[in-house]
Amino acid sequence: MKDKTMLIPEKNNIRIKEQEGKCVIFNLETSGFHMLTSDGNSILELLDGKKNIKELATYFAEQRGLDQLQLEQDFIKFFEELELRKIITLK
C-alpha cells in the first residue's frame, strides 16, 4: 500500500474568497460552492503542486507546535475530503 503522506495535493480550477472569517470556494469545473475555515484556507494557500502531505504537515506542526504524526493523519483525511469535492487532486 502506498504511503499516503507522499501524495501531492494540487488545486483544481477554483476561486477562493474570504468572508466573515470563513473562506468560500467556488469550483469552476463543478459550479459548486464550499465553505472552509481560515485554517483550511491557510493549508490550501501552500499547495504548489510540489509539496507532499508529509512536508505540509511538518511545516504546520513546526509553525503551530502540533504533533506531526497526528497532523499527517488529519491532513490525509482533509485532502481526501477535498478530493471527493473535486477541489484538489491527489497525485
Side-chain angles (χ1 to χ4, degrees):
M1 187 169 137
K2 185 174 180 181
D3 180 2
K4 291 184 177 184
T5 63
M6 300 313 286
L7 292 172
I8 298 174
E10 292 181 356
K11 284 186 258 189
N12 288 335
N13 197 6
I14 60 172
R15 298 292 178 266
I16 301 171
K17 181 179 180 184
E18 289 193 47
Q19 183 176 313
E20 299 173 14
K22 300 271 186 187
C23 296
V24 178
I25 296 174
F26 178 64
N27 188 325
L28 297 169
E29 292 176 25
T30 66
S31 297
F33 285 93
H34 308 277
M35 217 44 142
L36 274 185
T37 63
S38 58
D39 284 341
N41 186 51
S42 296
I43 296 166
L44 275 186
E45 286 178 350
L46 286 179
L47 301 187
D48 60 5
K50 297 175 186 167
K51 293 180 194 77
N52 61 37
I53 293 174
K54 184 181 251 342
E55 292 168 325
L56 292 164
T58 299
Y59 173 80
F60 274 91
E62 290 172 357
Q63 292 293 312
R64 300 188 181 188
L66 301 170
D67 178 76
Q68 181 179 335
L69 294 177
Q70 181 60 52
L71 206 52
E72 287 174 12
Q73 296 308 307
D74 292 345
F75 274 25
I76 289 168
K77 289 177 192 167
F78 175 70
F79 288 126
E80 286 176 341
E81 288 175 16
L82 292 183
E83 186 173 48
L84 283 175
R85 295 194 245 163
K86 300 186 183 322
I87 295 171
I88 64 149
T89 302
L90 289 169
K91 297 186 178 203

